[in-house]
Amino acid sequence: MAKVAVMVIHGIGDQDDDFADDFMESISNKVDAKQSDYLIDSCHWADVLQTNQNDMVDDIQSSSYFWQLITRWVKKKLVTHFSDATSYYKAYGEIHCEVKKKLREMQNKVDKDCKFIVVAHSLGAMILSDFIYDHQKPKSEKLALIESLKEIITFGANIPLFRMGFKNDKRVAISGENGHGERINWNNY
């Protein structure tokens, strides 16, 4: 059973299931440990939103007006990137189910006292923050991996942009300690 677990959560954009394969392989090549001592896996949540996005892109692509030929690429990028951010709260529960499913799957492969690290990009940081916040609620299912969270590494966390619309929002993503009383480090790049 693994002593360290790492989960990678993607950000906005048209992501495939293998979005983190190169990153995970690079980490595995650099880790000076037996493969059985650590687990690194990815959480792919994009499929929750992808069907609606694909339908919208198809509508854009089917247009035949000359001026629309020029703007199709821009529109496709707007749909596949920004609609993730604008649709997140509507699909909140479904996206969080994907995160929970991945955590349960990983939990079965690690020691009960393993150190858990999450690497998240962009909207993935917001998803993680919301997930941890919900996890702290009294009636939430307590997941051992979240309880043993040791390190959060985010790239381009856009959390302030999502919180601006909430008046007097006093959200705190984490309390500073995990379920074992150990300090949690959060580094944003």
Side-chain angles (χ1 to χ4, degrees), residues 136-167:
Q136 295 175 22
K137 292 178 181 174
K139 293 186 179 186
S140 71
E141 174 189 355
K142 300 303 179 210
L143 298 167
L145 277 177
I146 294 294
E147 293 294 309
S148 64
L149 184 61
K150 186 69 178 150
E151 186 87 25
I152 300 171
I153 303 167
T154 54
F155 300 90
N158 47 18
I159 293 170
L161 295 175
F162 285 90
R163 303 312 313 154
M164 285 191 291
F166 294 89
K167 188 175 181 175

PDB file of all heavy atoms in Angstrom, residues 136-167:
ATOM      1  N   GLN A 136     -15.694  19.724   5.309  1.00  0.00           N
ATOM      2  CA  GLN A 136     -15.630  20.159   6.708  1.00  0.00           C
ATOM      3  C   GLN A 136     -17.005  20.273   7.353  1.00  0.00           C
ATOM      4  O   GLN A 136     -17.103  20.406   8.575  1.00  0.00           O
ATOM      5  CB  GLN A 136     -14.912  21.511   6.804  1.00  0.00           C
ATOM      6  CG  GLN A 136     -13.465  21.442   6.401  1.00  0.00           C
ATOM      7  CD  GLN A 136     -12.795  22.809   6.386  1.00  0.00           C
ATOM      8  OE1 GLN A 136     -13.246  23.743   7.039  1.00  0.00           O
ATOM      9  NE2 GLN A 136     -11.730  22.920   5.638  1.00  0.00           N
ATOM     10  N   LYS A 137     -18.053  20.209   6.561  1.00  0.00           N
ATOM     11  CA  LYS A 137     -19.404  20.311   7.116  1.00  0.00           C
ATOM     12  C   LYS A 137     -19.696  19.081   7.964  1.00  0.00           C
ATOM     13  O   LYS A 137     -19.288  17.970   7.631  1.00  0.00           O
ATOM     14  CB  LYS A 137     -20.430  20.455   5.991  1.00  0.00           C
ATOM     15  CG  LYS A 137     -20.315  21.772   5.255  1.00  0.00           C
ATOM     16  CD  LYS A 137     -21.307  21.843   4.122  1.00  0.00           C
ATOM     17  CE  LYS A 137     -21.169  23.151   3.389  1.00  0.00           C
ATOM     18  NZ  LYS A 137     -22.017  23.206   2.188  1.00  0.00           N
ATOM     19  N   PRO A 138     -20.410  19.248   9.062  1.00  0.00           N
ATOM     20  CA  PRO A 138     -20.641  18.141  10.003  1.00  0.00           C
ATOM     21  C   PRO A 138     -21.250  16.880   9.393  1.00  0.00           C
ATOM     22  O   PRO A 138     -20.889  15.783   9.772  1.00  0.00           O
ATOM     23  CB  PRO A 138     -21.592  18.744  11.037  1.00  0.00           C
ATOM     24  CG  PRO A 138     -21.378  20.212  10.951  1.00  0.00           C
ATOM     25  CD  PRO A 138     -21.001  20.497   9.527  1.00  0.00           C
ATOM     26  N   LYS A 139     -22.184  17.000   8.466  1.00  0.00           N
ATOM     27  CA  LYS A 139     -22.865  15.814   7.944  1.00  0.00           C
ATOM     28  C   LYS A 139     -22.216  15.243   6.685  1.00  0.00           C
ATOM     29  O   LYS A 139     -22.740  14.326   6.075  1.00  0.00           O
ATOM     30  CB  LYS A 139     -24.325  16.140   7.660  1.00  0.00           C
ATOM     31  CG  LYS A 139     -25.110  16.420   8.929  1.00  0.00           C
ATOM     32  CD  LYS A 139     -26.569  16.606   8.658  1.00  0.00           C
ATOM     33  CE  LYS A 139     -27.281  16.857   9.978  1.00  0.00           C
ATOM     34  NZ  LYS A 139     -28.705  16.914   9.853  1.00  0.00           N
ATOM     35  N   SER A 140     -21.055  15.769   6.288  1.00  0.00           N
ATOM     36  CA  SER A 140     -20.416  15.272   5.068  1.00  0.00           C
ATOM     37  C   SER A 140     -19.704  13.948   5.328  1.00  0.00           C
ATOM     38  O   SER A 140     -19.279  13.667   6.443  1.00  0.00           O
ATOM     39  CB  SER A 140     -19.418  16.291   4.525  1.00  0.00           C
ATOM     40  OG  SER A 140     -18.293  16.354   5.361  1.00  0.00           O
ATOM     41  N   GLU A 141     -19.595  13.153   4.266  1.00  0.00           N
ATOM     42  CA  GLU A 141     -18.854  11.901   4.357  1.00  0.00           C
ATOM     43  C   GLU A 141     -17.377  12.233   4.531  1.00  0.00           C
ATOM     44  O   GLU A 141     -16.812  12.988   3.743  1.00  0.00           O
ATOM     45  CB  GLU A 141     -19.049  11.098   3.077  1.00  0.00           C
ATOM     46  CG  GLU A 141     -18.208   9.846   3.008  1.00  0.00           C
ATOM     47  CD  GLU A 141     -18.252   9.183   1.646  1.00  0.00           C
ATOM     48  OE1 GLU A 141     -19.000   9.629   0.758  1.00  0.00           O
ATOM     49  OE2 GLU A 141     -17.509   8.200   1.466  1.00  0.00           O
ATOM     50  N   LYS A 142     -16.763  11.697   5.551  1.00  0.00           N
ATOM     51  CA  LYS A 142     -15.342  11.965   5.809  1.00  0.00           C
ATOM     52  C   LYS A 142     -14.495  10.974   5.014  1.00  0.00           C
ATOM     53  O   LYS A 142     -14.579   9.771   5.212  1.00  0.00           O
ATOM     54  CB  LYS A 142     -15.013  11.860   7.301  1.00  0.00           C
ATOM     55  CG  LYS A 142     -15.791  12.847   8.164  1.00  0.00           C
ATOM     56  CD  LYS A 142     -15.557  14.277   7.717  1.00  0.00           C
ATOM     57  CE  LYS A 142     -16.353  15.240   8.566  1.00  0.00           C
ATOM     58  NZ  LYS A 142     -16.740  16.445   7.866  1.00  0.00           N
ATOM     59  N   LEU A 143     -13.695  11.503   4.124  1.00  0.00           N
ATOM     60  CA  LEU A 143     -12.813  10.683   3.299  1.00  0.00           C
ATOM     61  C   LEU A 143     -11.414  10.720   3.880  1.00  0.00           C
ATOM     62  O   LEU A 143     -10.859  11.788   4.134  1.00  0.00           O
ATOM     63  CB  LEU A 143     -12.802  11.201   1.860  1.00  0.00           C
ATOM     64  CG  LEU A 143     -14.158  11.146   1.153  1.00  0.00           C
ATOM     65  CD1 LEU A 143     -14.142  11.944  -0.120  1.00  0.00           C
ATOM     66  CD2 LEU A 143     -14.531   9.703   0.877  1.00  0.00           C
ATOM     67  N   ALA A 144     -10.838   9.553   4.075  1.00  0.00           N
ATOM     68  CA  ALA A 144      -9.530   9.442   4.733  1.00  0.00           C
ATOM     69  C   ALA A 144      -8.450  10.243   4.012  1.00  0.00           C
ATOM     70  O   ALA A 144      -7.594  10.847   4.649  1.00  0.00           O
ATOM     71  CB  ALA A 144      -9.129   7.977   4.852  1.00  0.00           C
ATOM     72  N   LEU A 145      -8.485  10.258   2.682  1.00  0.00           N
ATOM     73  CA  LEU A 145      -7.452  11.002   1.964  1.00  0.00           C
ATOM     74  C   LEU A 145      -7.536  12.502   2.242  1.00  0.00           C
ATOM     75  O   LEU A 145      -6.512  13.156   2.414  1.00  0.00           O
ATOM     76  CB  LEU A 145      -7.530  10.747   0.452  1.00  0.00           C
ATOM     77  CG  LEU A 145      -6.839   9.481  -0.028  1.00  0.00           C
ATOM     78  CD1 LEU A 145      -7.039   9.290  -1.520  1.00  0.00           C
ATOM     79  CD2 LEU A 145      -5.359   9.494   0.308  1.00  0.00           C
ATOM     80  N   ILE A 146      -8.723  13.051   2.285  1.00  0.00           N
ATOM     81  CA  ILE A 146      -8.854  14.477   2.609  1.00  0.00           C
ATOM     82  C   ILE A 146      -8.404  14.729   4.045  1.00  0.00           C
ATOM     83  O   ILE A 146      -7.753  15.728   4.345  1.00  0.00           O
ATOM     84  CB  ILE A 146     -10.299  14.973   2.382  1.00  0.00           C
ATOM     85  CG1 ILE A 146     -10.649  14.909   0.899  1.00  0.00           C
ATOM     86  CG2 ILE A 146     -10.496  16.380   2.925  1.00  0.00           C
ATOM     87  CD1 ILE A 146      -9.859  15.848   0.004  1.00  0.00           C
ATOM     88  N   GLU A 147      -8.724  13.813   4.928  1.00  0.00           N
ATOM     89  CA  GLU A 147      -8.285  13.944   6.323  1.00  0.00           C
ATOM     90  C   GLU A 147      -6.759  13.901   6.456  1.00  0.00           C
ATOM     91  O   GLU A 147      -6.211  14.440   7.396  1.00  0.00           O
ATOM     92  CB  GLU A 147      -8.909  12.837   7.183  1.00  0.00           C
ATOM     93  CG  GLU A 147     -10.416  12.944   7.347  1.00  0.00           C
ATOM     94  CD  GLU A 147     -10.820  14.179   8.136  1.00  0.00           C
ATOM     95  OE1 GLU A 147     -10.294  14.415   9.226  1.00  0.00           O
ATOM     96  OE2 GLU A 147     -11.685  14.922   7.634  1.00  0.00           O
ATOM     97  N   SER A 148      -6.079  13.248   5.505  1.00  0.00           N
ATOM     98  CA  SER A 148      -4.620  13.151   5.569  1.00  0.00           C
ATOM     99  C   SER A 148      -3.933  14.092   4.574  1.00  0.00           C
ATOM    100  O   SER A 148      -2.757  13.949   4.276  1.00  0.00           O
ATOM    101  CB  SER A 148      -4.170  11.703   5.333  1.00  0.00           C
ATOM    102  OG  SER A 148      -4.520  11.285   4.035  1.00  0.00           O
ATOM    103  N   LEU A 149      -4.671  15.083   4.084  1.00  0.00           N
ATOM    104  CA  LEU A 149      -4.123  16.065   3.147  1.00  0.00           C
ATOM    105  C   LEU A 149      -2.926  16.783   3.760  1.00  0.00           C
ATOM    106  O   LEU A 149      -2.998  17.290   4.877  1.00  0.00           O
ATOM    107  CB  LEU A 149      -5.203  17.077   2.766  1.00  0.00           C
ATOM    108  CG  LEU A 149      -4.860  18.118   1.720  1.00  0.00           C
ATOM    109  CD1 LEU A 149      -4.511  17.462   0.400  1.00  0.00           C
ATOM    110  CD2 LEU A 149      -6.026  19.073   1.546  1.00  0.00           C
ATOM    111  N   LYS A 150      -1.829  16.787   3.056  1.00  0.00           N
ATOM    112  CA  LYS A 150      -0.595  17.373   3.573  1.00  0.00           C
ATOM    113  C   LYS A 150      -0.135  18.569   2.747  1.00  0.00           C
ATOM    114  O   LYS A 150       0.427  19.521   3.276  1.00  0.00           O
ATOM    115  CB  LYS A 150       0.503  16.295   3.604  1.00  0.00           C
ATOM    116  CG  LYS A 150       1.782  16.715   4.241  1.00  0.00           C
ATOM    117  CD  LYS A 150       1.619  16.912   5.725  1.00  0.00           C
ATOM    118  CE  LYS A 150       2.945  17.297   6.355  1.00  0.00           C
ATOM    119  NZ  LYS A 150       2.803  18.133   7.504  1.00  0.00           N
ATOM    120  N   GLU A 151      -0.380  18.529   1.454  1.00  0.00           N
ATOM    121  CA  GLU A 151       0.151  19.568   0.568  1.00  0.00           C
ATOM    122  C   GLU A 151      -0.837  19.841  -0.560  1.00  0.00           C
ATOM    123  O   GLU A 151      -1.397  18.917  -1.144  1.00  0.00           O
ATOM    124  CB  GLU A 151       1.475  19.092  -0.027  1.00  0.00           C
ATOM    125  CG  GLU A 151       2.215  20.097  -0.834  1.00  0.00           C
ATOM    126  CD  GLU A 151       3.128  20.986  -0.001  1.00  0.00           C
ATOM    127  OE1 GLU A 151       3.547  20.562   1.087  1.00  0.00           O
ATOM    128  OE2 GLU A 151       3.407  22.104  -0.451  1.00  0.00           O
ATOM    129  N   ILE A 152      -1.053  21.127  -0.845  1.00  0.00           N
ATOM    130  CA  ILE A 152      -1.854  21.548  -1.986  1.00  0.00           C
ATOM    131  C   ILE A 152      -0.943  22.409  -2.851  1.00  0.00           C
ATOM    132  O   ILE A 152      -0.347  23.368  -2.366  1.00  0.00           O
ATOM    133  CB  ILE A 152      -3.090  22.363  -1.554  1.00  0.00           C
ATOM    134  CG1 ILE A 152      -3.986  21.536  -0.636  1.00  0.00           C
ATOM    135  CG2 ILE A 152      -3.847  22.858  -2.773  1.00  0.00           C
ATOM    136  CD1 ILE A 152      -5.108  22.341   0.009  1.00  0.00           C
ATOM    137  N   ILE A 153      -0.845  22.037  -4.106  1.00  0.00           N
ATOM    138  CA  ILE A 153      -0.040  22.806  -5.056  1.00  0.00           C
ATOM    139  C   ILE A 153      -0.977  23.230  -6.174  1.00  0.00           C
ATOM    140  O   ILE A 153      -1.559  22.383  -6.861  1.00  0.00           O
ATOM    141  CB  ILE A 153       1.125  21.967  -5.611  1.00  0.00           C
ATOM    142  CG1 ILE A 153       2.000  21.455  -4.467  1.00  0.00           C
ATOM    143  CG2 ILE A 153       1.945  22.786  -6.607  1.00  0.00           C
ATOM    144  CD1 ILE A 153       2.979  20.374  -4.865  1.00  0.00           C
ATOM    145  N   THR A 154      -1.159  24.538  -6.326  1.00  0.00           N
ATOM    146  CA  THR A 154      -2.056  25.041  -7.356  1.00  0.00           C
ATOM    147  C   THR A 154      -1.278  25.923  -8.325  1.00  0.00           C
ATOM    148  O   THR A 154      -0.313  26.584  -7.950  1.00  0.00           O
ATOM    149  CB  THR A 154      -3.236  25.830  -6.747  1.00  0.00           C
ATOM    150  OG1 THR A 154      -2.736  26.863  -5.897  1.00  0.00           O
ATOM    151  CG2 THR A 154      -4.137  24.918  -5.950  1.00  0.00           C
ATOM    152  N   PHE A 155      -1.735  25.905  -9.556  1.00  0.00           N
ATOM    153  CA  PHE A 155      -1.161  26.727 -10.607  1.00  0.00           C
ATOM    154  C   PHE A 155      -2.274  27.597 -11.167  1.00  0.00           C
ATOM    155  O   PHE A 155      -3.279  27.076 -11.646  1.00  0.00           O
ATOM    156  CB  PHE A 155      -0.581  25.851 -11.728  1.00  0.00           C
ATOM    157  CG  PHE A 155       0.499  24.930 -11.254  1.00  0.00           C
ATOM    158  CD1 PHE A 155       0.189  23.664 -10.798  1.00  0.00           C
ATOM    159  CD2 PHE A 155       1.816  25.337 -11.250  1.00  0.00           C
ATOM    160  CE1 PHE A 155       1.175  22.802 -10.353  1.00  0.00           C
ATOM    161  CE2 PHE A 155       2.816  24.488 -10.801  1.00  0.00           C
ATOM    162  CZ  PHE A 155       2.498  23.225 -10.356  1.00  0.00           C
ATOM    163  N   GLY A 156      -2.114  28.900 -11.083  1.00  0.00           N
ATOM    164  CA  GLY A 156      -3.123  29.801 -11.632  1.00  0.00           C
ATOM    165  C   GLY A 156      -4.461  29.694 -10.944  1.00  0.00           C
ATOM    166  O   GLY A 156      -5.497  29.720 -11.604  1.00  0.00           O
ATOM    167  N   ALA A 157      -4.456  29.594  -9.629  1.00  0.00           N
ATOM    168  CA  ALA A 157      -5.725  29.504  -8.893  1.00  0.00           C
ATOM    169  C   ALA A 157      -6.513  30.799  -9.096  1.00  0.00           C
ATOM    170  O   ALA A 157      -6.025  31.884  -8.843  1.00  0.00           O
ATOM    171  CB  ALA A 157      -5.465  29.264  -7.412  1.00  0.00           C
ATOM    172  N   ASN A 158      -7.731  30.646  -9.560  1.00  0.00           N
ATOM    173  CA  ASN A 158      -8.584  31.800  -9.854  1.00  0.00           C
ATOM    174  C   ASN A 158      -9.704  31.956  -8.824  1.00  0.00           C
ATOM    175  O   ASN A 158     -10.741  32.503  -9.124  1.00  0.00           O
ATOM    176  CB  ASN A 158      -9.161  31.651 -11.258  1.00  0.00           C
ATOM    177  CG  ASN A 158      -9.721  30.258 -11.491  1.00  0.00           C
ATOM    178  OD1 ASN A 158      -9.986  29.533 -10.547  1.00  0.00           O
ATOM    179  ND2 ASN A 158      -9.889  29.887 -12.743  1.00  0.00           N
ATOM    180  N   ILE A 159      -9.476  31.491  -7.643  1.00  0.00           N
ATOM    181  CA  ILE A 159     -10.503  31.492  -6.602  1.00  0.00           C
ATOM    182  C   ILE A 159     -11.086  32.889  -6.348  1.00  0.00           C
ATOM    183  O   ILE A 159     -12.303  33.030  -6.259  1.00  0.00           O
ATOM    184  CB  ILE A 159      -9.969  30.852  -5.308  1.00  0.00           C
ATOM    185  CG1 ILE A 159      -9.712  29.359  -5.566  1.00  0.00           C
ATOM    186  CG2 ILE A 159     -10.923  31.055  -4.134  1.00  0.00           C
ATOM    187  CD1 ILE A 159      -8.971  28.645  -4.470  1.00  0.00           C
ATOM    188  N   PRO A 160     -10.276  33.946  -6.255  1.00  0.00           N
ATOM    189  CA  PRO A 160     -10.878  35.265  -6.010  1.00  0.00           C
ATOM    190  C   PRO A 160     -11.899  35.680  -7.067  1.00  0.00           C
ATOM    191  O   PRO A 160     -12.897  36.331  -6.742  1.00  0.00           O
ATOM    192  CB  PRO A 160      -9.671  36.209  -6.025  1.00  0.00           C
ATOM    193  CG  PRO A 160      -8.516  35.355  -5.651  1.00  0.00           C
ATOM    194  CD  PRO A 160      -8.818  34.004  -6.255  1.00  0.00           C
ATOM    195  N   LEU A 161     -11.699  35.289  -8.316  1.00  0.00           N
ATOM    196  CA  LEU A 161     -12.648  35.639  -9.367  1.00  0.00           C
ATOM    197  C   LEU A 161     -14.010  34.991  -9.145  1.00  0.00           C
ATOM    198  O   LEU A 161     -15.048  35.580  -9.446  1.00  0.00           O
ATOM    199  CB  LEU A 161     -12.101  35.219 -10.737  1.00  0.00           C
ATOM    200  CG  LEU A 161     -10.841  35.932 -11.194  1.00  0.00           C
ATOM    201  CD1 LEU A 161     -10.345  35.328 -12.507  1.00  0.00           C
ATOM    202  CD2 LEU A 161     -11.069  37.417 -11.344  1.00  0.00           C
ATOM    203  N   PHE A 162     -14.019  33.784  -8.605  1.00  0.00           N
ATOM    204  CA  PHE A 162     -15.275  33.076  -8.373  1.00  0.00           C
ATOM    205  C   PHE A 162     -15.970  33.563  -7.104  1.00  0.00           C
ATOM    206  O   PHE A 162     -17.164  33.384  -6.956  1.00  0.00           O
ATOM    207  CB  PHE A 162     -15.025  31.567  -8.270  1.00  0.00           C
ATOM    208  CG  PHE A 162     -14.749  30.938  -9.583  1.00  0.00           C
ATOM    209  CD1 PHE A 162     -13.457  30.838 -10.054  1.00  0.00           C
ATOM    210  CD2 PHE A 162     -15.778  30.462 -10.368  1.00  0.00           C
ATOM    211  CE1 PHE A 162     -13.190  30.260 -11.283  1.00  0.00           C
ATOM    212  CE2 PHE A 162     -15.528  29.884 -11.605  1.00  0.00           C
ATOM    213  CZ  PHE A 162     -14.236  29.783 -12.055  1.00  0.00           C
ATOM    214  N   ARG A 163     -15.242  34.128  -6.189  1.00  0.00           N
ATOM    215  CA  ARG A 163     -15.826  34.526  -4.913  1.00  0.00           C
ATOM    216  C   ARG A 163     -16.357  35.956  -4.936  1.00  0.00           C
ATOM    217  O   ARG A 163     -17.056  36.370  -4.023  1.00  0.00           O
ATOM    218  CB  ARG A 163     -14.790  34.393  -3.784  1.00  0.00           C
ATOM    219  CG  ARG A 163     -14.186  33.013  -3.627  1.00  0.00           C
ATOM    220  CD  ARG A 163     -15.122  31.834  -3.607  1.00  0.00           C
ATOM    221  NE  ARG A 163     -16.254  31.980  -2.751  1.00  0.00           N
ATOM    222  CZ  ARG A 163     -17.411  31.360  -2.918  1.00  0.00           C
ATOM    223  NH1 ARG A 163     -17.575  30.537  -3.910  1.00  0.00           N
ATOM    224  NH2 ARG A 163     -18.404  31.548  -2.106  1.00  0.00           N
ATOM    225  N   MET A 164     -16.018  36.751  -5.950  1.00  0.00           N
ATOM    226  CA  MET A 164     -16.412  38.158  -5.975  1.00  0.00           C
ATOM    227  C   MET A 164     -17.917  38.364  -5.932  1.00  0.00           C
ATOM    228  O   MET A 164     -18.383  39.356  -5.390  1.00  0.00           O
ATOM    229  CB  MET A 164     -15.846  38.846  -7.222  1.00  0.00           C
ATOM    230  CG  MET A 164     -14.377  39.116  -7.128  1.00  0.00           C
ATOM    231  SD  MET A 164     -13.786  40.190  -8.450  1.00  0.00           S
ATOM    232  CE  MET A 164     -13.940  39.123  -9.859  1.00  0.00           C
ATOM    233  N   GLY A 165     -18.682  37.465  -6.490  1.00  0.00           N
ATOM    234  CA  GLY A 165     -20.124  37.642  -6.567  1.00  0.00           C
ATOM    235  C   GLY A 165     -20.872  37.328  -5.284  1.00  0.00           C
ATOM    236  O   GLY A 165     -22.076  37.512  -5.200  1.00  0.00           O
ATOM    237  N   PHE A 166     -20.169  36.866  -4.247  1.00  0.00           N
ATOM    238  CA  PHE A 166     -20.818  36.496  -3.001  1.00  0.00           C
ATOM    239  C   PHE A 166     -20.604  37.586  -1.958  1.00  0.00           C
ATOM    240  O   PHE A 166     -19.483  37.804  -1.504  1.00  0.00           O
ATOM    241  CB  PHE A 166     -20.273  35.157  -2.485  1.00  0.00           C
ATOM    242  CG  PHE A 166     -20.620  34.003  -3.381  1.00  0.00           C
ATOM    243  CD1 PHE A 166     -19.785  33.644  -4.426  1.00  0.00           C
ATOM    244  CD2 PHE A 166     -21.795  33.294  -3.188  1.00  0.00           C
ATOM    245  CE1 PHE A 166     -20.103  32.592  -5.266  1.00  0.00           C
ATOM    246  CE2 PHE A 166     -22.116  32.236  -4.025  1.00  0.00           C
ATOM    247  CZ  PHE A 166     -21.276  31.886  -5.064  1.00  0.00           C
ATOM    248  N   LYS A 167     -21.659  38.261  -1.591  1.00  0.00           N
ATOM    249  CA  LYS A 167     -21.573  39.347  -0.623  1.00  0.00           C
ATOM    250  C   LYS A 167     -21.176  38.809   0.751  1.00  0.00           C
ATOM    251  O   LYS A 167     -21.720  37.812   1.218  1.00  0.00           O
ATOM    252  CB  LYS A 167     -22.921  40.054  -0.539  1.00  0.00           C
ATOM    253  CG  LYS A 167     -22.885  41.300   0.291  1.00  0.00           C
ATOM    254  CD  LYS A 167     -24.202  42.018   0.251  1.00  0.00           C
ATOM    255  CE  LYS A 167     -24.082  43.260   1.080  1.00  0.00           C
ATOM    256  NZ  LYS A 167     -25.257  44.083   1.007  1.00  0.00           N
TER     257      LYS A 167
END
